[in-house]
Amino acid sequence: MFSATSGRSTRPAVLLTGVLLAGLFAGCSSSDDDSTTAPTPSATTAPSATPAAAEGVLTVQDPWVKAADSGMTGAFVTLVNSTDADVTITGATSSVSPMEVHEMTMRDGQMVMQAKEGGVVVKARSEYRLEPGGDHLMLMNLAQPVRAGDEVTLTLTFADGRTQTFIAVAKPFTGAQESYAPGHGEPSHAPHGEPSHAPSASHSPTP
């Protein structure tokens, strides 16, 4: 009597326990499947790399301007082209003066500066130095003195219409011995770094 009653009362409990355990395992299995099949972040949701264009058309190294009180002066920089295409600089502007891209050339037996026709071409995978005694950026008419330590904003214009702006720091420099002859508005360099024999009215923007 006792055992029969005990057997009848325990059977539903065992069945109920089995159902609960089955449901528990099923729940765990479903959770595991969800974790293993969860979608991975797509390419559209992952952070994108910064475009090379955001860094500028060219890499600018060591930009500087020769300090001067008035008149004309030069800006110099090393430009690195890391792309597979040539880049042509056709013009430049600044925060303190109109600018031109200049070159050095011989005229009447004297080395002089003049506007560079066609601009400056920076070849693919190479660098180009704009430096005293060579191609350079010329500030044609300073609206204010540029003294050592001043920061000058320069903007390059490229043949395809793009532009690039950077900051050049002014510093004293007398190695090129500039002398600006009157009349044609072009500065001249004497050969071998000697001062040119320009008329007394010429302007020499030594710091």
Side-chain angles (χ1 to χ4, degrees):
M1 182 74 177
F2 176 79
S3 61
T5 304
S6 175
R8 285 196 300 271
S9 63
T10 57
R11 185 175 298 169
V14 171
L15 292 175
L16 180 58
T17 303
V19 171
L20 292 175
L21 289 174
L24 179 61
F25 286 132
C28 290
S29 175
S30 175
S31 176
D32 291 343
D33 290 343
D34 289 344
S35 64
T36 56
T37 60
T40 56
S42 65
T44 57
T45 58
S48 59
T50 302
E55 300 176 359
V57 181
L58 301 170
T59 299
V60 175
Q61 297 179 346
D62 303 322
W64 62 282
V65 176
K66 180 185 175 184
D69 290 330
S70 61
M72 294 182 279
T73 192
F76 314 98
V77 62
T78 297
L79 300 168
V80 180
N81 182 2
S82 301
T83 72
D84 294 322
D86 295 350
V87 174
T88 302
I89 302 167
T90 56
T93 59
S94 81
S95 56
V96 296
S97 171
M99 295 183 69
E100 291 182 358
V101 180
H102 275 198
E103 65 180 349
M104 301 297 300
T105 188
M106 291 297 297
R107 180 183 298 173
D108 299 327
Q110 190 176 43
M111 187 70 72
V112 298
M113 300 179 192
Q114 65 181 20
K116 187 174 179 67
E117 293 187 11
V120 167
V121 178
V122 185
K123 295 291 186 180
R125 301 292 172 184
S126 66
E127 68 176 37
Y128 201 100
R129 293 185 178 181
L130 299 175
E131 57 188 354
D135 292 347
H136 56 278
L137 303 174
M138 202 72 202
L139 286 78
M140 301 300 295
N141 184 20
L142 293 176
Q144 63 191 59
V146 176
R147 298 190 171 92
D150 288 352
E151 293 184 344
V152 180
T153 302
L154 305 177
T155 300
L156 301 178
T157 302
F158 301 96
D160 60 5
R162 290 180 294 176
T163 60
Q164 182 171 354
T165 299
F166 57 94
I167 301 295
V169 178
K171 65 180 183 179
F173 181 76
T174 58
Q177 296 291 341
E178 290 95 342
S179 180
Y180 303 127
H184 51 69
E186 294 177 350
S188 61
H189 282 253
H192 309 301
E194 295 297 326
S196 62
H197 299 291
S200 57
S202 65
H203 174 69
S204 298
T206 53

